Amino acid sequence: MIDDGPVRKPTTIEDLVIKASSHTPFFGVYLASHAISDSLCMCHASVGCKVKTQRHLVAHDGIKDAHNRMRYSQFIDEDLIEGSTQQLEDEVVAFQRRRNSQIVLIDPSTPISLQGQPFKRVCERLEEKTGVHVVHCDTRNYDADLWQGYDTAMAAILKRQTWPELDETDAADVAIVGYPFDRYEPDHTGTISELRRLLFGLGLRARAVWLAGEPYETLQQITTARHIIALPWAQSQTHKVLTKAGRSPIKAGLPMGLDGTARWLRHVARETGVKPERAERVIRQENARVKELFGLAHQRLAGRGFAAFGEVPRVAGMAAVLMEVGMVPYVLGTTHFSLGGAEALARELAENFGRKLPDSTLVMEDPTPLALRQLARGRAGVVTADGRLAAMPDVIPALARAEVGLGSTLDREQLAAAQLPWVEMGFPSELHHSLFPAPWMGPNGALRLLERVLTALETRLDRRR
């Protein structure tokens, strides 16, 4: 089930440079497995892959362990040459029983994916021995990225399901695919609750959210959902499997901010047959509830500049929320190329949020660590070709106009020289952790994001405003 979606082939030396967002599909499959509470990820790999894949997630998720839920077949050269899977099968049986895992994902490393060995019989033998579903996630680890691996894992699991004919009793059931779950903290559990709350307002029950850190048995309820709403992280493989199963997904953006949430609710209502009047009632209620709070944020933040980094759907949503209260995007960086770059960002903002970037916005596509470090140094000047810091020119560098930055720990570290107040968002967020429900989607998610930006800027805000 190899993805035939966006693939970036090296054409210049620059294309071969390691990017700031350098996680591969190998890690994406692992992340998807982590997002199923009773799964086991069996990496068909040698010992060299262990530390590289686990470090960020171990520091990122403060609730669930990230190391004991991933195991390694630890194949040797002879196994690779002979095509033997005996060591893999023995490890799966041993650890599935030990952890009582209800689904096992086989995650191949690069040598295995290059070998092209079939795994159908391996999975069948393992299912006979374990009594649980075992799926092989077929990925290319050399020309795809993290979110393509995440999509591959969802598609492989969906393909393993049995899809019954639906009757009218299932009319109100919906499911969500493509939620980017990466830790069991209240930023994600709070967002899942917010999504279900919005859908419930439309009279829809979202029994299954792929992926939401819930048990495999809960995920399997997707097969009885009449409608499946696909968030942007659900890419081509997931869409193909669902369409083949007779469940063509409803493509949707993100419910972020007031405008974005209203557009999302209207779109979902239209595609699921909910009466428009009901959607408008929910929108009026939500707007009335948070209107004064948005007004307060506008008072304090209008005219302030920001920089934001992340995969296109996330960075578009963050930018839309902040622009809604009058903030100005001076630098936006897109990461993980499979979800798009500058063109996709502009399209996402226009179609899902009704926003257009000002001409002053610098958009960086999947920047390298060096490019981010140079950007940070250029905050107080410009960097010459030989790497020296020159005097400030007449045109002020884009990052110099920003007063706050948003993005992952990796972005924060690369931009440290800029000394921007920072709001950690996305994966990994190793310093920021949530102890109380803190959604990042829906009206409540917008309020939480604005509150975090206000907090980051406390020492810089003019008390007279």
Side-chain angles (χ1 to χ4, degrees):
M1 223 159 55
I2 296 293
D3 187 12
D4 60 358
V7 175
R8 186 170 57 180
K9 299 292 186 181
T11 55
T12 67
I13 293 296
E14 175 65 19
D15 290 317
L16 299 173
V17 175
I18 294 176
K19 304 296 183 179
S21 55
S22 59
H23 278 305
T24 67
F26 183 78
F27 181 83
V29 173
Y30 169 36
L31 192 64
S33 174
H34 184 71
I36 305 170
S37 62
D38 53 1
S39 77
L40 169 67
C41 183
M42 180 56 68
C43 296
H44 197 14
S46 62
V47 295
C49 298
K50 288 185 177 179
V51 176
K52 291 183 288 185
T53 55
Q54 291 176 345
R55 176 183 174 273
H56 286 145
L57 190 52
V58 168
H60 175 75
D61 192 338
I63 302 298
K64 289 280 188 181
D65 64 17
H67 54 288
N68 288 325
R69 302 176 70 232
M70 174 199 273
R71 310 309 302 177
Y72 293 78
S73 64
Q74 303 194 59
F75 66 78
I76 58 177
D77 291 345
E78 286 82 355
D79 295 327
L80 188 62
I81 294 168
E82 296 173 3
S84 172
T85 60
Q86 188 59 51
Q87 176 73 7
L88 167 68
E89 295 180 42
D90 291 344
E91 294 289 331
V92 168
V93 171
F95 283 102
Q96 183 277 329
R97 289 174 181 169
R98 187 175 302 177
R99 297 193 59 84
N100 194 29
S101 303
Q102 297 305 301
I103 182 171
V104 178
L105 276 63
I106 298 177
D107 186 7
S109 62
T110 300
I112 299 299
S113 64
L114 284 169
Q115 191 182 44
Q117 180 178 350
F119 277 82
K120 182 180 179 181
R121 283 295 300 140
V122 174
C123 294
E124 290 173 349
R125 287 194 298 269
L126 285 171
E127 290 197 357
E128 291 174 2
K129 294 176 182 177
T130 62
V132 303
H133 286 180
V134 179
V135 297
H136 169 231
C137 301
D138 194 359
T139 60
R140 288 191 181 106
N141 287 308
Y142 39 88
D143 59 4
D145 67 6
L146 159 67
W147 294 114
Q148 283 169 299
Y150 195 86
D151 181 60
T152 294
M154 288 193 297
I157 301 168
L158 286 167
K159 190 175 182 181
R160 184 62 187 81
Q161 306 309 304
T162 300
W163 299 86
E165 293 291 331
L166 299 180
D167 57 41
E168 291 305 316
T169 61
D170 304 307
D173 280 355
V174 299
I176 296 174
V177 295
Y179 181 80
F181 188 96
D182 51 47
R183 64 181 176 186
Y184 290 78
E185 295 185 18
D187 50 352
H188 282 299
T189 56
T191 304
I192 299 299
S193 295
E194 181 77 346
L195 288 171
R196 284 184 165 131
R197 183 182 73 84
L198 291 173
L199 291 170
F200 187 76
L202 297 178
L204 302 172
R205 299 185 299 265
R207 299 189 186 278
V209 177
W210 287 54
L211 299 165
E214 295 172 337
Y216 183 48
E217 184 179 15
T218 301
L219 291 183
Q220 289 183 292
Q221 295 184 64
I222 193 173
T223 61
T224 59
R226 180 161 296 279
H227 301 284
I228 298 176
I229 301 162
L231 301 182
W233 288 268
Q235 299 188 56
S236 62
Q237 294 191 63
T238 292
H239 282 263
K240 286 179 180 178
V241 174
L242 289 172
T243 300
K244 188 174 182 180
R247 307 290 202 279
S248 295
I250 299 168
K251 291 185 179 181
L254 302 183
M256 294 185 70
L258 296 185
D259 291 343
T261 299
R263 287 167 178 262
W264 192 83
L265 286 168
R266 290 186 183 113
H267 176 66
V268 170
R270 183 170 58 252
E271 295 297 319
T272 57
V274 174
K275 292 182 178 180
E277 302 82 50
R278 180 157 190 167
E280 294 305 321
R281 184 167 66 249
V282 174
I283 292 167
R284 285 195 302 272
Q285 290 171 345
E286 292 297 319
N287 288 351
R289 182 175 64 87
V290 303
K291 180 179 178 181
E292 291 181 347
L293 298 173
F294 263 74
L296 174 60
H298 189 276
Q299 279 183 359
R300 307 297 288 169
L301 295 174
R304 307 265 175 186
F306 69 93
F309 300 83
E311 61 272 34
V312 163
R314 192 188 306 267
V315 79
M318 291 190 294
V321 171
L322 299 182
M323 292 169 72
E324 202 164 17
V325 295
M327 293 193 74
V328 182
Y330 284 113
V331 180
L332 298 178
T334 67
T335 58
H336 304 102
F337 59 86
S338 70
L339 289 165
E343 291 184 6
L345 177 62
R347 184 171 58 253
E348 189 88 10
L349 282 166
E351 293 179 358
N352 297 321
F353 302 101
R355 297 280 167 182
K356 183 178 183 299
L357 292 177
D359 294 337
S360 57
T361 304
L362 169 66
V363 178
M364 306 177 73
E365 293 186 324
D366 207 11
T368 65
L370 176 61
L372 292 179
R373 289 195 297 270
Q374 289 178 333
L375 180 71
R377 294 180 66 194
R379 178 173 167 80
V382 293
V383 180
T384 60
D386 59 1
R388 292 181 296 105
L389 195 64
M392 179 75 78
D394 293 335
V395 179
I396 301 175
L399 196 63
R401 298 177 184 271
E403 296 182 55
V404 64
L406 302 92
S408 72
T409 303
L410 303 180
D411 304 314
R412 183 179 197 164
E413 290 173 349
Q414 300 300 338
L415 293 166
Q419 297 184 328
L420 278 175
W422 199 264
V423 175
E424 276 197 349
M425 290 280 290
F427 177 82
S429 292
E430 298 179 10
L431 299 181
H432 175 75
H433 295 272
S434 298
L435 305 180
F436 193 77
W440 55 280
M441 291 187 197
N444 289 335
L447 292 177
R448 177 57 177 157
L449 176 59
L450 294 172
E451 181 183 59
R452 291 185 64 194
V453 172
L454 282 167
T455 301
L457 286 171
E458 277 181 351
T459 59
R460 297 193 177 199
L461 288 172
D462 187 341
R463 293 184 180 180
R464 294 171 298 176
R465 291 175 69 88

